[in-house]
Amino acid sequence: MIRTPLRPLARILKAREAGENPDAIERENIRLRHEEMRDRARMRAEGRLLVMGAFFVCAFAVIGGRMGVLANSEPAEPRTGIAGADILAQRADIVDREGRILATNFETYSLYAQPQQMVEPERAAEELAAIFPDLKIERLKKDFTGKRKFLWVKKKLSPEQRQAVHDIGEPGLLFGPREMRLYPNGKLAAHLLGGASFGREGVHAAEVIGVAGVEKYYDKRLRDPSMGHKPLQLSIDLSVQSAVERVLQGGMMLMNAKGAAAVLMEVQTGEVVALASLPDFDPNDRPRPPIKGEKPGDSPLFNRAVQGVYELGSVFKAFTIAQALDLGLVNPATMIDTKGPLRFGKYRIRDFRNYGNELDVKTVLVKSSNIGTARIAQMIGIDRQQDFLKSLGFFEPTSFEIVEAESGKPLLPSKWTDLSLMTISYGHGLSSSPLHLAAGYATIANGGRLVKPTLIKQPKGQMAPRVMSERAAGQTMQMLRSVVTEGTASFAEVDGYAVGGKTGTADKPKPSGGYYEDKVIATFASVFPAHDPRYVLVVTLDEPVETTGSEPRRTAGWTAVPVAAEITRRVAPLLGLRPEIEPAPLTGITLTSN
């Protein structure tokens, strides 16, 4: 910086020549220097004030913005959990074999309250109780006027309910977005789908988890982000499932039954095309499990087709005869002693009516002779009977892809005696589920290869282990067709669709021991078309009574068979089966396979 001298020599000399006082020049320069220093100091101070002012403006803007964000945020009570763990709400869809939606997600809102922000908490409680009749007004008033800072009011809201709450105009009532599980078909396939509920919950999201059925069995798969939310495709056909349920519901009402179940299965792959259990429920509003003291079997949550294990009666005769044919012990024309009653100690085995002293094997099945079947079982023996039923899957729960299947374990006799050998041969003394029975009949229908029921579409051409010879399976199928054309299942005949099958009527056991005289489980296991088996249908009615005649009738031929026939009539076209004339048997030629 260049400083100007206070007494510049040139000006001093001029001042002296002019007779002026040189000190005045020095004083003037000092004044000017001081003014310059003052101006610089003021400018420096003003600059600092400007910078400080800008800093405070920015700081207050940041603080004000943050306060605004916090004011508009949604409060939540502290929750224990892993720091930084996000709630995964998205869940993959479930579709049927044709890609039609069975379960999907729906965007909705939850309702929660922040009582400290409420203006009129008591009025808000009254308004909410009017919108949601299940809420108790006294409880709401207590919560809204207490010390709580946060509470859930409703976990799921419809758009109409949300608008009604919004119209209350209470600032302490707030909404949180979330996804819920939606079953657009209502009760359809309810026992297969099971249902879902909320796991971890926050005000911005809720975790959707499976609680039963397929939803729980495949819970990890449905929630896995790495799957890209690819839908889970089941073997169920939505149209067929609807037809089966509607006919079964009508049949249950007409036959005055307590409950009913039906299984429709492909014989080659074991794919379950339809499975129904009645009474049922709506998975959108899943009922509570039965409380202590209630019978699980009386709950609509109980899956009779999978969890229900019953003595299914004479439908088991097909397995006894198929094994005897496979072992070469008999052929369809072998004569069997049916003179009765068959005595074993203090027990007596009788037929429904007297069929004479002897019948051939085919007629034993057609007439459903208990004595004849017991005689054949004696030829087989205990060990071979156990091995055969075990190979068919009657000793363990099915590997069906719903969590309830684990509880459907067959009930076996504690001691497999000679009496057990005979009674099990015609379906008493061993309890199994309708699903077990369907898999067993599918094994016969496909030529003797083991069938395991499944809910997932299977690739074609898989070779399962062989359980019986193709010859024995084919001969058994011909006999099952004769049961419909000549025997106890004549009501099962459906024009254009040759049906083969076997009836079974079993007395229900009493909890205290023994059997009821007027309560039965009526079952019809059928295969269609019998000459080219494609599907197995099992229908079971719990305590049916057919009352159109002069006396009540409970046997399967009068109850389960007509219901199964109507199901076949309805679903066969939906399955792509065209009506056709059944091929006539070839004279002099015995078919050895189907």
Side-chain angles (χ1 to χ4, degrees), residues 81-101:
I82 302 173
D86 295 329
I87 294 178
L88 183 63
Q90 188 65 35
R91 190 175 181 87
D93 292 344
I94 301 176
V95 298
D96 79 339
R97 66 191 301 121
E98 302 297 334
R100 292 169 290 196
I101 293 292

Side-chain angles (χ1 to χ4, degrees), residues 336-343 370-380 422 425:
I336 304 297
D337 179 11
T338 56
K339 184 179 180 180
L342 175 60
R343 294 178 173 83
N370 294 339
I371 297 174
T373 309
R375 295 287 191 193
I376 295 173
Q378 288 178 322
M379 300 180 194
I380 295 172
M422 291 185 285
S425 72

Side-chain angles (χ1 to χ4, degrees), residues 166-483:
H166 181 76
D167 292 341
I168 295 175
E170 176 57 64
L173 295 176
L174 304 170
F175 303 100
R178 64 171 53 194
E179 284 187 348
M180 61 173 282
R181 199 62 164 167
L182 177 68
Y183 303 92
N185 304 297
K187 292 184 176 182
L188 199 63
H191 286 93
L192 292 174
L193 297 172
S197 183
F198 294 116
R200 293 185 301 149
E201 295 179 284
V203 293
H204 291 292
E207 185 180 48
V208 182
I209 59 173
V211 296
V214 173
E215 291 276 23
K216 187 172 183 179
Y217 190 92
Y218 284 107
D219 188 57
K220 291 183 179 179
R221 153 70 173 82
L222 293 168
R223 296 166 58 193
D224 189 356
S226 66
M227 298 297 294
H229 306 301
K230 180 181 178 182
L232 175 64
Q233 188 171 34
L234 304 183
S235 60
I236 295 297
D237 187 296
L238 193 61
S239 300
V240 175
Q241 178 75 27
S242 177
V244 169
E245 289 191 16
R246 294 184 69 175
V247 175
L248 190 66
Q249 178 71 47
M252 187 178 80
M253 295 175 65
L254 287 173
M255 300 302 171
N256 306 294
K258 175 182 177 182
V263 179
L264 180 64
M265 178 189 297
E266 286 192 359
V267 302
Q268 298 296 334
T269 62
E271 294 176 14
V272 173
V273 183
L275 185 146
S277 174
L278 298 175
D280 55 4
F281 61 95
D282 188 345
N284 292 301
D285 187 20
R286 185 178 169 84
R288 295 181 178 275
I291 59 176
K292 187 177 181 180
E294 295 181 346
K295 294 181 179 179
D298 293 336
S299 169
L301 298 176
F302 186 72
N303 189 337
R304 295 173 181 270
V306 177
Q307 292 176 283
V309 288
Y310 314 102
E311 292 184 354
L312 296 174
S314 296
V315 288
F316 263 66
K317 292 174 181 174
F319 301 132
T320 302
I321 291 176
Q323 184 182 14
L325 291 170
D326 184 53
L327 293 173
L329 300 175
V330 297
N331 62 53
T334 302
M335 302 304 295
I336 304 297
D337 179 11
T338 56
K339 184 179 180 180
L342 175 60
R343 294 178 173 83
F344 187 87
K346 64 178 181 178
Y347 298 98
R348 301 291 184 274
I349 296 176
R350 293 181 172 86
D351 285 333
F352 188 69
R353 51 177 61 94
N354 184 10
Y355 298 123
N357 291 335
E358 61 179 9
L359 298 172
D360 60 42
V361 171
K362 174 187 172 182
T363 309
V364 166
L365 187 63
V366 170
K367 298 294 185 181
S368 196
S369 169
N370 294 339
I371 297 174
T373 309
R375 295 287 191 193
I376 295 173
Q378 288 178 322
M379 300 180 194
I380 295 172
I382 294 176
D383 292 337
R384 289 194 292 192
Q385 184 188 54
Q386 286 180 328
D387 291 342
F388 183 67
L389 293 177
K390 187 173 184 179
S391 69
L392 289 174
F394 283 100
F395 278 39
E396 298 294 337
T398 64
S399 56
F400 202 50
E401 297 92 345
I402 62 175
V403 293
E404 292 80 3
E406 296 180 358
S407 61
K409 184 176 182 178
L411 301 179
L412 308 176
S414 55
K415 292 183 179 180
W416 205 297
T417 63
D418 289 333
L419 180 62
S420 301
L421 167 72
M422 291 185 285
T423 59
I424 288 173
S425 72
Y426 55 84
H428 288 75
L430 185 152
S431 299
S432 62
S433 71
L435 187 61
H436 281 93
L437 182 65
Y441 267 70
T443 299
I444 295 174
N446 72 13
R449 293 193 177 273
L450 179 65
V451 171
K452 293 185 177 180
T454 179
L455 260 179
I456 305 300
K457 292 190 69 174
Q458 302 295 313
K460 304 297 182 182
Q462 295 187 107
M463 296 298 289
R466 180 166 292 282
V467 177
M468 69 185 77
S469 68
E470 192 172 2
R471 173 189 55 81
Q475 289 175 335
T476 306
M477 273 305 309
Q478 292 180 47
M479 295 184 202
L480 291 174
R481 175 60 179 149
S482 297
V483 173

